Amino acid sequence: MRKFVSRSPITNEVLKSFDFVTDSQVKNQIQLAKKGFDTHKKLNFKQRSEKLMNLSQLITTNAEKYAELITTEIGKPITQSLGEVKKSAAHCRYYAENLEKILKIERVKTEARKSYVIHEPLGTIYQISPFNFPFWLVFKGVIPIMSSGNGVLARTSDSTPLVGLAVEELFREAGFDSNEFQNIFSSPEQLENICESKFIHGVSFTGSTQAGSKIAQVAGKYLKKSIMELGGSDPFIVCFDADLDLAVELAVKSRIANAGQVCISAKRFIISDIIYDKFVEKLTKRVQNIKIGDPFNPQIELGPLARSDLLINLQKQIEQSVQQGGKLLYGGDRAIIHGLEKGNFIKPAIVEVNQENILAQQETFGPVFALLRFKKENEVVQIANNSLYGLGGTIISKDIDRAEELAKQIETGSVFINEMNKTDSRLPSGGCKLSGYGRECSHFGTYEFTNIKTIWIS
């Protein structure tokens, strides 16, 4: 029977499990959330900012504890887990310091004596987050939502319940102690009941496109505002004039982060024909030297995949790619780590493919480098945009003006030039096409779940 299960990806041992809450418990938590929202929305900017700063300081003080918990539940290398925690603290601090500026009254000059725009909270938002960044992806969406005065019911991934409980405790310790933020162990079948409630005013989801489509349908049925940040198959374009050492460094850093389980990581490596062979040679040499093993070892670059089913699916994608004509240049098989033989470890794979190959068409959630060639600039745009997804992208080139013009033609929510794609509290985060809609982070993320109200005084 399905439930929330914390299982070590290093040993595949079950650490702890939790049953789904009952329908009556869901109803009770929604009622508590309504009362929490009624309290939270009355706080002024200074009071909200103080709580957000408390949250940031608590995270910073206990950063190592939370990093160890993340690594325990999903196998992320400990240095990356620590980076995730510190990023969450900085996110809270950013909104604490900029909240009043973001939500200030916008005065508009009209023929009225006075006319202006204000942003009011909607109510309680149901947030559903995935396993791959169980700490950051809660804070990334929740902090903009709550900074405007909304409340949150947060459903973490089925496989990261311990992180979910730890985050709830953090919010309470920081002063969010009126149930304006609650962790909820709800089942997928309870989505309808939650969205149907008059006390739930929106849905925020980060995860797969398939799940996002179903969740968006239910939210739409009850006319609940929703944000969907879904899958990606990001292009990583290496132009003929690129600094190849930089290109390889960023390619590897992006693709093996969190064992490749990142929506916005580079997945399709589109390389100029002129420098293709040199790039592949440098990339292969670097990938062969990646340190794989126990994620609690600070020297390790690549830990296990978070779940065994993810490992099985990734291996199937690689096998199917080869059957379709893909050329496997390196890796793709299980990595057997002494003392951790039951762990979900895999060697990074480098595969030459064409545009129709499964690795170019589907999202791959693991350390797989799908390589494609291009000869002309108009060809690279076509290859990059030949995807159902539109989350992010990267361009490596010494000609910044040309790269900037190229970036404008790429159909994604963001494009980074000479840097790997990443999220930033100051900039909007989201995608287009089957990568979803809506934005998190920056003032755009704050406005998503607000009533943008016009006031006119004649």
Side-chain angles (χ1 to χ4, degrees):
M1 183 178 178
R2 184 175 171 180
K3 57 175 66 177
F4 281 80
V5 179
S6 179
R7 183 189 299 271
S8 168
I10 305 171
T11 64
N12 266 302
E13 294 178 280
V14 173
L15 305 174
K16 198 163 186 179
S17 64
F18 303 85
D19 291 329
F20 292 130
V21 291
T22 64
D23 290 346
S24 62
Q25 288 173 317
V26 168
K27 187 176 181 180
N28 182 58
Q29 284 198 248
I30 291 174
Q31 292 285 352
L32 291 173
K34 170 63 169 63
K35 294 177 181 177
F37 164 65
D38 288 341
T39 299
H40 182 58
K41 71 178 181 180
K42 296 174 183 177
L43 299 182
N44 58 37
F45 292 144
K46 182 181 179 182
Q47 291 170 318
R48 283 185 220 158
S49 293
E50 286 176 351
K51 290 189 178 186
L52 290 173
M53 192 60 77
N54 289 343
L55 192 54
S56 176
Q57 291 169 350
L58 279 169
I59 295 170
T60 300
T61 301
N62 298 282
E64 291 187 3
K65 178 179 77 171
Y66 296 122
E68 290 175 2
L69 184 56
I70 292 168
T71 297
T72 297
E73 285 207 297
I74 69 167
K76 181 178 293 184
I78 190 66
T79 54
Q80 295 178 30
S81 294
L82 190 59
E84 177 178 347
V85 173
K86 290 181 178 179
K87 184 170 185 172
S88 302
H91 192 57
C92 296
R93 187 168 60 252
Y94 170 79
Y95 280 95
E97 294 173 346
N98 293 279
L99 176 58
E100 188 168 358
K101 178 182 176 182
I102 291 172
L103 292 170
K104 68 180 180 180
I105 293 174
E106 183 182 341
R107 302 195 181 279
V108 181
K109 189 175 181 180
T110 67
E111 63 271 23
R113 179 168 53 166
K114 185 191 293 186
S115 52
Y116 56 92
V117 177
I118 58 175
H119 296 85
E120 297 179 330
L122 297 180
T124 297
I125 309 303
Y126 183 43
Q127 192 220 33
I128 309 169
S129 56
F131 71 88
N132 55 333
F133 287 84
F135 209 80
W136 164 243
L137 289 179
V138 174
F139 286 94
K140 176 173 174 270
V142 164
I143 299 306
I145 290 171
M146 294 191 70
S147 67
S148 63
N150 293 299
V152 171
L153 270 183
R155 185 198 193 277
T156 187
S157 166
D158 291 13
S159 56
T160 57
L162 298 181
V163 173
L165 291 173
V167 169
E168 181 180 51
E169 183 183 9
L170 255 176
F171 271 89
R172 290 190 183 279
E173 289 183 14
F176 297 96
D177 52 7
S178 299
N179 293 306
E180 60 270 67
F181 178 91
Q182 297 177 71
N183 180 74
I184 183 168
F185 287 149
S186 54
S187 71
E189 292 73 27
Q190 290 167 330
L191 173 66
E192 182 105 13
N193 290 343
I194 293 171
C195 287
E196 185 180 19
S197 171
K198 64 181 179 180
F199 299 132
I200 296 296
H201 292 81
V203 179
S204 176
F205 173 74
T206 301
S208 72
T209 297
Q210 182 180 14
S213 176
K214 295 176 181 177
I215 293 167
Q217 286 181 51
V218 177
K221 177 180 177 181
Y222 296 103
L223 294 180
K224 302 298 170 74
K225 175 72 182 289
S226 63
I227 290 178
M228 297 287 139
E229 187 159 323
L230 310 177
S233 185
D234 290 9
F236 185 100
I237 300 168
V238 183
C239 298
F240 73 91
D241 62 345
D243 179 330
L244 288 186
D245 290 333
L246 175 66
V248 169
E249 175 193 347
L250 293 177
V252 172
K253 187 177 180 181
S254 176
R255 197 64 190 108
I256 71 165
N258 195 25
Q261 301 163 119
V262 185
C263 293
I264 59 170
S265 70
K267 297 185 175 76
R268 294 177 297 138
F269 297 83
I270 307 170
I271 318 301
S272 168
D273 194 57
I274 297 172
I275 47 88
Y276 182 87
D277 291 338
K278 289 182 179 179
F279 175 84
V280 173
E281 180 183 352
K282 285 178 176 287
L283 176 67
T284 304
K285 185 176 181 179
R286 174 67 181 90
V287 169
Q288 287 173 337
N289 291 311
I290 288 173
K291 296 175 182 177
I292 309 172
D294 183 353
F296 281 99
N297 181 343
Q299 303 303 314
I300 291 299
E301 298 174 276
L302 184 63
L305 294 182
R307 300 193 311 266
S308 58
D309 62 297
L310 298 169
L311 174 62
I312 293 169
N313 184 64
L314 187 66
Q315 289 183 305
K316 286 181 179 179
Q317 286 179 309
I318 295 171
E319 291 172 6
Q320 190 171 341
S321 171
V322 173
Q323 292 170 1
Q324 293 176 349
K327 184 178 180 182
L328 182 62
L329 303 181
Y330 177 79
D333 51 330
R334 288 287 298 271
I336 306 301
I337 308 300
H338 180 67
L340 300 173
E341 288 83 2
K342 293 183 179 180
N344 305 322
F345 296 94
I346 188 171
K347 295 177 183 177
I350 302 175
V351 190
E352 289 183 335
V353 301
N354 59 34
Q355 293 187 60
E356 306 310 315
N357 192 277
I358 186 173
L359 298 185
Q361 289 299 315
Q362 290 186 3
E363 179 178 30
T364 51
F365 231 49
V368 176
F369 298 78
L371 307 182
L372 300 102
R373 295 176 184 252
F374 76 91
K375 294 182 178 180
K376 297 180 180 180
E377 193 167 291
N378 63 339
E379 185 182 5
V380 73
V381 173
Q382 184 273 324
I383 295 173
N385 291 338
N386 184 23
S387 172
L388 297 174
Y389 301 101
L391 200 51
T394 298
I395 300 171
I396 310 298
S397 174
K398 293 177 182 176
D399 188 336
I400 302 303
D401 291 338
R402 185 165 56 85
E404 193 171 355
E405 287 304 309
L406 184 60
K408 294 175 184 178
Q409 300 176 62
I410 306 301
E411 298 168 351
T412 56
S414 62
V415 177
F416 280 57
I417 297 171
N418 293 329
E419 178 58 277
M420 61 181 277
N421 203 289
K422 54 188 177 182
T423 53
D424 187 308
S425 300
R426 299 163 295 184
L427 296 167
S429 169
C432 57
K433 300 197 282 190
L434 291 191
S435 291
Y437 53 80
R439 293 295 181 265
E440 292 181 333
C441 298
S442 78
H443 61 283
F444 292 102
T446 307
Y447 298 159
E448 285 284 1
F449 289 108
T450 62
N451 174 31
I452 304 174
K453 179 183 284 187
T454 296
I455 304 292
W456 176 289
I457 303 173
S458 181

